[in-house]
Amino acid sequence: MLDNLLMGFGAALTPANLLWCFVGVLAGTVIGLLPGLGSTTGVAVLLPLTLSFEPLTALIMLAGIYYGAQYGGTITSVLISTPGEAASVVTAIDGYQMARKGRAGAALSIAAIGSFVAAIVSLVLLVAMAPPFAKLALDFGPPENLAVMVLGLTTIVSFSSGARLRGLAMAVLGILLATVGVDAATGLPRYTFGDVDLLSGLPFVQVMIGLFAVGEVLFQIRQGAAEPIRARFRDLVITREELSRSKGAIARGSLIGYLLGCLPGAGSTLASFLAYGVEKRVSRNKHEFGHGAIEGVASPESANNAAANANFVPTLALGIPGGATTAVLLGAFMMYGIQPGPLLFEEQPELVWGLLASFFIGNVLLLVLNLPLAPLFAQLLRIPYGYMYPLILVTSFVGAYSIDNNMFSVWVVFVFGLVGYFMKKFDLPMAPLVLGLVVGALFEKALVQTSAMGDGDLTIVFTRPIALVVLLLAVLLLAGPSLVRLIPKKKEEEKV
């Protein structure tokens, strides 16, 4: 393995590959900054520009766009509560609250550090364990996916603490919204009211832009424009205490992101939600979550980046895309006459290991590029909000329109902007609604497929060892903290 990795670095460290790796991560960061574009659109749009490149150079650049966009989406999530990427939605919850307290630089810094550490950890695991994890992914059928969705839904409890009834109500609303579109069982339109645009369901990114960006702007305008943040430059720099608090969150987020990223279709969005939920359950600073907890930024950002890299496990080893962006990258492989799958590592080792080595290089470039700039990005918050609000609204609506080039996206952003405003006004939690919307469609699909496998008998889930393990994890996530709190009480009673 070491010889293969050295061969990969030899191929990736050529001047041309280094240049295009830098261009890729820089372009990815800029693309991630623009709401609605995201890595999938960025890779798809720039794919034709690589037709004259060598296959390895082209793939290095396109992969750079992929993980560069992950960090770009974080910047707008933290600064203006506008997720540029679907996986950056969770970061906006605590990252934006940190920004409002003058700690935007610290939030962006820990996002960069967490993303870098997660990338390195996941890449080491990717290099060492891609073949066995690929075989494990093959064993994941509908029952296993159903168990994973149940695990994802358990995090609703974490997002709902302090307002559990309202949180559960918002989660149910999110799941109901996820049913708009085509029925997974019958293939018939459902709740579309004859509108062709709704056949594919409510567009997730547009809904998020409306809820978080437009809803926040409308709420702030109603409250009265806040004063711009006047934090000193040293207040924008991350502290040792914040780094210390983030270590465990980064480690847990990296592991969760890698495991979920290896599963075809699970994606980095679900990984970031699950990592946040787990962190909130195990953290000593639970009361700070939702109000600017740095762990609430470190954990989902680490999971997001780890999942993005782990998506390449099924893509390279099985030829099955791990997510939407890797599906586009799979098309790039085909375009160059390269067939991903079990034989790829043997037939084209220089290309595979060169691509994997470029991930290390690209993430180092991202860290060097973004970590020193984090406090400077945070200076944008010094701009008076009277100028910021129109900029945020224009960016949101233009970004939404650019996704599908139609006015339907703009109307979705507007309607859910109003929904977001009223949710803030009546103090209704947004995270459970978003989680319900993310997991709802995936849960229904897995449920229908599992039911079909078992001829209507869902107990087939309990006959599958992997599904049982995942369901046990869900039970532990729900009951674990309560059991831990009971242990000290029992010890005190025994002493008495």
Side-chain angles (χ1 to χ4, degrees), residues 1-14 56 345-346 348-355 357:
M1 185 185 72
L2 188 59
D3 291 340
N4 288 328
L5 201 55
L6 288 172
M7 175 182 64
F9 274 106
L13 286 170
T14 62
L56 178 59
F345 284 81
E346 295 176 15
Q348 302 206 43
E350 187 172 337
L351 184 138
V352 174
W353 292 99
L355 181 61

Side-chain angles (χ1 to χ4, degrees), residues 180-182 191-203 206 404-409 411-412:
V180 173
V182 175
Y191 308 131
T192 60
F193 307 103
D195 193 326
V196 176
D197 291 306
L198 285 173
L199 284 173
S200 56
L202 285 168
Q206 289 92 316
D404 294 316
N405 293 323
N406 65 24
M407 284 300 295
F408 175 74
S409 295
W411 282 110
V412 170

Side-chain angles (χ1 to χ4, degrees), residues 135-465:
K135 290 177 182 175
L136 181 65
L138 278 176
D139 293 331
F140 258 75
E144 286 76 19
N145 285 328
L146 180 62
V148 170
M149 294 310 122
V150 171
L151 178 62
L153 287 169
T154 59
T155 59
I156 288 173
V157 176
S158 300
F159 285 114
S160 308
S161 60
R164 190 159 294 180
L165 190 59
R166 282 180 291 171
L168 290 173
M170 290 300 99
V172 170
L173 177 60
I175 293 170
L176 288 174
L177 290 173
T179 62
V180 173
V182 175
D183 191 307
T186 64
L188 297 173
R190 183 175 57 187
Y191 308 131
T192 60
F193 307 103
D195 193 326
V196 176
D197 291 306
L198 285 173
L199 284 173
S200 56
L202 285 168
F204 179 73
V205 175
Q206 289 92 316
V207 171
M208 295 308 101
I209 292 172
L211 285 175
F212 284 89
V214 178
E216 177 68 25
V217 169
L218 294 177
F219 182 72
Q220 291 298 334
I221 290 173
R222 183 70 179 82
Q223 293 286 100
E227 288 294 317
I229 293 168
R230 300 293 183 190
R232 296 166 296 180
F233 190 84
R234 68 182 182 186
D235 293 332
L236 299 171
V237 180
I238 193 167
T239 64
R240 287 185 179 179
E241 182 194 351
E242 287 170 328
L243 277 172
S244 177
R245 280 179 56 175
S246 302
K247 288 178 183 175
I250 291 172
R252 285 183 286 271
S254 300
L255 182 60
I256 291 169
Y258 181 78
L259 292 174
L260 281 181
C262 288
L263 307 178
S268 49
T269 305
L270 181 59
S272 61
F273 270 97
L274 187 57
Y276 184 93
V278 169
E279 197 57 40
K280 192 174 180 182
R281 300 286 283 175
V282 303
S283 174
R284 296 177 180 176
N285 306 296
K286 295 181 179 66
H287 61 284
E288 290 185 28
F289 278 73
H291 304 285
I294 195 160
E295 299 95 327
V297 176
S299 182
E301 278 301 303
S302 302
N304 175 11
N305 221 281
N309 289 320
N311 275 175
F312 283 91
V313 170
T315 304
L316 293 175
L318 300 174
I320 301 170
T325 309
T326 46
V328 178
L329 285 169
L330 192 62
F333 275 96
M334 302 296 188
M335 192 173 70
Y336 287 108
I338 301 164
Q339 179 60 55
L343 298 177
L344 183 63
F345 284 81
E346 295 176 15
E347 293 176 352
Q348 302 206 43
E350 187 172 337
L351 184 138
V352 174
W353 292 99
L355 181 61
L356 294 178
S358 77
F359 293 173
F360 287 94
I361 298 163
N363 278 284
V364 170
L365 289 173
L366 265 177
L367 187 70
V368 171
L369 186 68
N370 287 306
L371 193 56
L373 293 176
L376 296 177
F377 282 131
Q379 297 294 324
L380 292 172
L381 294 172
R382 293 176 181 267
I383 300 171
Y385 283 96
Y387 299 118
M388 287 284 283
Y389 292 152
L391 179 64
I392 295 169
L393 288 174
V394 169
T395 305
S396 298
F397 286 119
V398 170
Y401 181 82
S402 68
I403 299 172
D404 294 316
N405 293 323
N406 65 24
M407 284 300 295
F408 175 74
S409 295
V410 176
W411 282 110
V412 170
V413 170
F414 176 73
V415 169
F416 278 92
L418 294 176
V419 172
Y421 164 73
F422 285 108
M423 288 182 72
K424 284 183 174 293
K425 183 178 180 180
F426 295 107
D427 196 26
L428 297 171
M430 285 191 193
L433 185 148
V434 175
L435 183 59
L437 189 58
V438 171
V439 177
L442 297 172
F443 178 78
E444 183 187 15
K445 181 181 176 183
L447 188 65
V448 169
Q449 291 175 338
T450 303
S451 177
M453 279 184 67
D455 292 325
D457 183 7
L458 290 176
T459 58
I460 187 177
V461 175
F462 300 107
T463 66
R464 314 270 288 211

